[in-house]
């Protein structure tokens, strides 16, 4: 199967639109239609319905494979590029709540070992960091989320079966200091279904919490943690955050979560070709997981 046809198919599946796919990939709409028709002819079965645009059963099966195949192709390209590129590169991706003082100190230690080390730090959402690490665009990825104690994070495809735990800390509901909940010793998340929450997909997404029915009163689409905490402090809504983030705050109060039991977990993802002992990514990985 032609990877160009697979990329077009995945984009149509994600956007639900031939015209949006054409705009994103810079094709004409007729070219998109021709590529989908060529892929369907190759496989001998319809993959998409047209009006409305949707996946057939065969299309759903292909989509699962196509996403992984495209990631693997990008990983192969990055591996070859890495093998022929000059040494001394370190690209670190992290989700906003994965950054911490120990991460900064470990990175400073690695950079101090080599003044010629070219370092790049990218802060992005979970999907982008996972994909960037899997393809080799990033050497290491630090990702975070809220999960049951000692449970691994549920990562989007293609994930990383070699993900390592970096740290766990208590998860709390962050509220303004004057909020009635601030006087509570603990809460059950299900009891807060009628409260207003802040949905911050890049920082603390509601859909990744193990509770249904939490209502978003405000959507925050940025990645600045200080903006999210400022919105909570101003009374725009509640958010689940790691307890150390708001320890000592004069404007936010942490409320323990009794049910379900949750911790904030940070995990380390590694690109496929970062196993050399003297590689900066390998040394940074050892510092972060020590």
């Amino acid at each position: 199967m032609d990877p160009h046809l697979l990329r077009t198919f995945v984009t149509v599946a994600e956007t639900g639109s031939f015209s949006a796919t054409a705009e994103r990939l810079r094709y004409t709409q007729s070219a998109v239609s021709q590529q989908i028709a060529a892929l369907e002819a190759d496989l001998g079965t319809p993959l998409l319905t047209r009006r409305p645009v949707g996946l057939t059963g065969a299309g759903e099966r292909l989509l699962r494979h196509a996403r992984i195949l495209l990631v693997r192709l990008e990983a192969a390209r990055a591996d070859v590029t890495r093998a022929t590129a000059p040494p001394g590169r370190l690209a670190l991706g992290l989700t906003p709540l994965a950054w911490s003082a120990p991460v900064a100190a470990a990175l400073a230690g690695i950079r101090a070992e080599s003044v010629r080390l070219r370092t790049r730090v990218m802060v992005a959402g979970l999907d982008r960091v996972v994909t960037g690490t899997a393809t080799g665009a990033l050497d290491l990825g630090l990702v975070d989320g809220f999960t049951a104690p000692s449970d691994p994070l549920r990562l989007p495809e293609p994930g990383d079966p070699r993900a390592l735990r970096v740290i766990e800390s208590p998860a709390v509901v962050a509220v303004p200091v004057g909020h009635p909940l601030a006087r509570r010793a603990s809460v059950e998340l299900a009891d807060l279904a009628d409260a207003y929450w802040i949905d911050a997909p890049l920082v603390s997404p509601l859909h990744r919490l193990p509770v249904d029915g939490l209502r978003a009163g405000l959507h925050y689409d940025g990645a600045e943690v200080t903006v999210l905490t400022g919105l909570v402090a101003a009374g725009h809504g509640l958010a689940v955050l790691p307890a150390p983030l708001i320890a000592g705050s004069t404007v936010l109060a942490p409320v323990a979560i009794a049910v379900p039991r949750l911790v904030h977990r940070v995990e380390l993802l590694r690109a496929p070709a970062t196993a050399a002992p003297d590689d900066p990514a390998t040394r940074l990985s050892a510092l972060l997981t020590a």
Side-chain angles (χ1 to χ4, degrees):
M1 284 179 283
D2 187 331
H4 297 291
L5 302 184
L6 286 177
R7 192 176 304 280
T8 300
F9 166 72
V10 169
T11 307
V12 173
E14 290 176 347
T15 63
S17 167
F18 280 65
S19 59
T21 296
E23 183 177 352
R24 180 183 294 186
L25 300 181
R26 297 184 179 179
Y27 295 143
T28 64
Q29 188 168 335
S30 62
V32 171
S33 299
Q34 290 168 10
Q35 290 185 36
I36 296 300
L39 186 59
E40 290 176 328
D42 182 23
L43 293 173
T45 185
L47 301 171
L48 295 164
T49 59
R50 274 19 181 212
R51 294 184 181 177
V53 175
L55 291 168
T56 64
E60 289 178 353
R61 287 177 176 271
L62 177 62
L63 182 62
R64 290 196 293 269
H65 295 288
R67 282 175 169 154
I68 296 174
L69 286 170
L70 291 173
V71 166
R72 296 306 179 211
L73 285 171
E74 289 297 320
R77 182 187 299 277
D79 194 19
V80 171
T81 301
R82 190 195 306 274
T84 57
R89 183 200 91 156
L90 177 61
L92 172 66
L94 57 138
T95 51
L97 289 177
W99 180 255
S100 64
V103 173
L107 184 60
I110 294 298
R111 296 188 66 208
E113 295 175 2
S114 174
V115 294
R116 296 185 178 181
L117 181 64
R118 303 184 312 279
T119 308
R120 180 170 70 97
V121 176
M122 179 190 78
V123 179
L126 179 64
D127 289 5
R128 188 175 173 191
V129 174
V130 169
T131 300
T133 310
T135 61
L138 298 170
D139 300 304
L140 295 173
L142 282 170
V143 296
D144 78 286
F146 298 96
T147 185
S150 300
D151 277 3
L153 297 177
R154 293 183 179 180
L155 300 177
E157 291 291 348
D160 183 356
R162 306 175 303 154
L164 299 173
R165 184 184 76 89
V166 175
I167 193 170
E168 284 185 2
S169 57
V172 297
V173 177
V175 302
V177 289
H179 195 280
L181 289 176
R183 298 190 294 271
R184 298 271 296 273
S186 64
V187 293
E188 297 186 15
L189 285 186
D191 291 342
L192 302 180
D194 292 331
Y196 282 103
W197 290 81
I198 299 174
D199 186 25
L202 296 181
V203 184
S204 181
L206 289 181
H207 73 274
R208 293 194 182 276
L209 294 176
V211 175
D212 295 327
L214 299 183
R215 248 187 337 177
L218 183 146
H219 293 270
Y220 170 53
D221 292 327
E224 290 287 341
V225 176
T226 53
V227 173
L228 176 57
T229 55
L231 289 169
V232 175
H236 291 284
L238 313 180
V240 174
L241 294 172
L245 179 68
I246 56 177
S249 173
T250 59
V251 293
L252 292 176
V255 185
I257 300 172
V259 179
R261 293 183 62 207
L262 285 180
V263 295
H264 177 250
R265 181 180 174 99
V266 177
E267 291 184 352
L268 178 71
L269 315 180
R270 295 167 293 177
T274 54
D278 59 343
D279 189 276
T282 301
R283 300 200 302 274
L284 180 58
S285 175
L287 289 176
L288 292 174
T289 57

